[in-house]
Amino acid sequence: MTPLRIAIDAMGGDYGPRATVYGAALALAQRPNAGVTLYGRRHLVDVELARLPASLVHVHDRIDIVEAGDCLPGDMTPSRILRDVSSGSLYASLVALQNGEASACVSAEHTGAIMALARRDVGMLSSVTRPAISAAIPTVSQRPCYMLDLGANVDARAEHLVDFSTMGAAMVRLVDRVACPRVGLLNVGTESGKGERRVREADAMLRASRHPNFEYVGYVEGDALFSGHTDVAVCDGMVGNIALKSSEGLARMLAGRLQAGFQTGLYARMVGRLAAPVLRRFLQELDPVRYNGASFLGLKATVVKSHGSARAEGFAYAVRRAVDEAAMNLPDRLMT
């Protein structure tokens, strides 16, 4: 069987090829059905390939390199990107996706750049009026909660929120195999009269639609995101982005406080040694790296954004997510 080909923007992110090359190789070690093409400065990519450990040598034959430019400046506006950009590693990887040379694309460049170029060069599904960015957050249950939108739309209307609900539920049903996902609208309260007008209108539309493929559970407040009682939390891009970044910051603070607390004295260090396995598992579950990889839903093909600060392990999560979504042809099945 011909492996899925994933286009990797090798130059994007804070660490560039140091993270993307190693991360892509880590992902390939766990996804034998995939290969990657690394778009970027060949001499820099070659250096990182040579540094891969012996345990990853077996994936080399599934890695190709295409010479491309550097990443985009972080301060470029979407309008300037659309007007001026016709080269670079992100552009090259998205064009490969558009031309059918890849089944998915992964980049760690900034959200505005990916969204602007992807909408232009990959295109939108005909049934979707606005794209949405979705990512998972941990909960107390074994199932994550997926939030969308996380930054693509700060002015979403009620009908857009309904579309996000349908796309998010379809993704959870297909990717995580949840038969009937529970969908809620993120709001300032659970009472029917609370919230912005567009949120109340979306609530009425979702209640009236009675969609057969997901359960609409009404409004959810911010603290309920982590309860495990909701599979999909829908909101506009500003609310979602703030909520996600806040949860990531809280996770890092808790991890730091816990680790520091077990170093405050002899007794604390002794307890820390005894609790080390439990503490390690707890910190791993909180680690935002495990949930790296935000999907751009509504595009004609799979595009996944990695966090710009992700190192190799985090980037590997994003690549694996792209492989899994491409394998099930997720974009074409979103509005079902």
Side-chain angles (χ1 to χ4, degrees):
M1 182 177 68
T2 303
L4 292 166
R5 178 61 47 175
I6 310 300
I8 304 290
D9 169 12
M11 307 305 293
D14 296 347
Y15 302 100
R18 196 179 351 154
T20 59
V21 175
Y22 190 12
L26 288 171
L28 291 181
Q30 294 189 335
R31 295 294 186 273
N33 62 325
V36 302
T37 301
L38 302 169
Y39 293 86
R41 295 298 188 189
R42 177 180 286 272
H43 67 285
L44 297 176
V45 173
D46 279 336
V47 168
E48 299 305 326
L49 281 174
R51 290 177 177 171
L52 291 178
S55 60
L56 293 175
V57 169
H58 68 286
V59 306
H60 274 226
D61 61 349
R62 289 187 278 140
I63 299 176
D64 294 331
I65 307 171
V66 172
E67 177 68 31
D70 290 313
C71 62
L72 297 172
D75 58 354
M76 282 190 75
T77 63
S79 59
R80 184 183 166 198
I81 289 168
L82 291 174
R83 185 176 64 251
D84 298 341
V85 172
S86 58
S87 63
S89 54
L90 173 60
Y91 173 81
S93 58
L94 287 171
V95 168
L97 183 60
Q98 176 194 42
N99 293 339
E101 298 166 10
S103 301
C105 172
V106 182
S107 174
E109 298 208 38
H110 62 90
T111 302
I114 301 173
M115 179 56 72
L117 290 177
R119 289 190 69 174
R120 185 191 71 183
D121 298 332
V122 178
M124 297 281 298
L125 295 171
S126 60
S127 57
V128 177
T129 56
R130 292 282 185 93
I133 304 172
S134 175
I137 58 174
T139 72
V140 297
S141 72
Q142 297 299 312
R143 282 157 47 176
C145 174
Y146 289 86
M147 290 183 62
L148 70 162
D149 178 38
L150 297 177
N153 308 275
V154 296
D155 59 347
R157 298 195 299 269
E159 56 266 33
H160 300 145
L161 297 177
V162 174
D163 281 350
F164 299 167
S165 301
T166 303
M167 290 193 295
M171 180 187 66
V172 173
R173 195 168 62 252
L174 295 167
V175 175
D176 288 355
R177 295 180 175 82
V178 177
C180 188
R182 298 158 298 178
V183 178
L185 287 173
L186 190 60
N187 201 5
V188 295
T190 58
E191 296 84 358
S192 60
K194 286 195 171 183
E196 294 181 298
R197 179 178 178 179
R198 58 182 170 177
V199 177
R200 298 196 306 272
E201 290 176 350
D203 172 70
M205 294 166 69
L206 286 166
R207 291 184 185 279
S209 67
R210 298 184 179 275
H211 202 289
N213 292 327
F214 65 84
E215 176 190 0
Y216 175 60
V217 298
Y219 296 144
V220 293
E221 295 182 276
D223 59 344
L225 293 173
F226 310 97
S227 68
H229 296 148
T230 306
D231 299 303
V232 180
V234 176
C235 55
D236 67 51
M238 179 179 292
V239 171
N241 191 272
I242 291 172
L244 179 68
K245 296 295 176 60
S246 297
S247 66
E248 290 176 348
L250 176 62
R252 284 191 290 267
M253 185 203 71
L254 286 174
R257 287 286 183 88
L258 280 170
Q259 290 173 325
F262 283 116
Q263 301 297 322
T264 55
L266 178 61
Y267 179 73
R269 287 195 293 272
M270 292 174 60
V271 173
R273 289 193 186 96
L274 293 172
V278 175
L279 178 62
R280 191 179 304 113
R281 186 167 61 250
F282 176 71
L283 294 178
Q284 287 173 346
E285 290 175 355
L286 280 182
D287 190 354
V289 164
R290 291 187 63 216
Y291 300 90
N292 186 47
S295 305
F296 286 72
L297 304 181
L299 297 173
K300 289 182 178 178
T302 295
V303 177
V304 174
K305 180 191 174 350
S306 170
H307 203 297
S309 63
R311 296 181 185 270
E313 292 79 5
F315 194 80
Y317 276 96
V319 176
R320 289 201 295 268
R321 181 156 200 89
V323 173
D324 294 343
E325 291 187 7
M328 61 184 63
N329 196 22
L330 181 66
D332 288 344
R333 302 169 70 186
L334 276 181
M335 299 305 290
T336 58

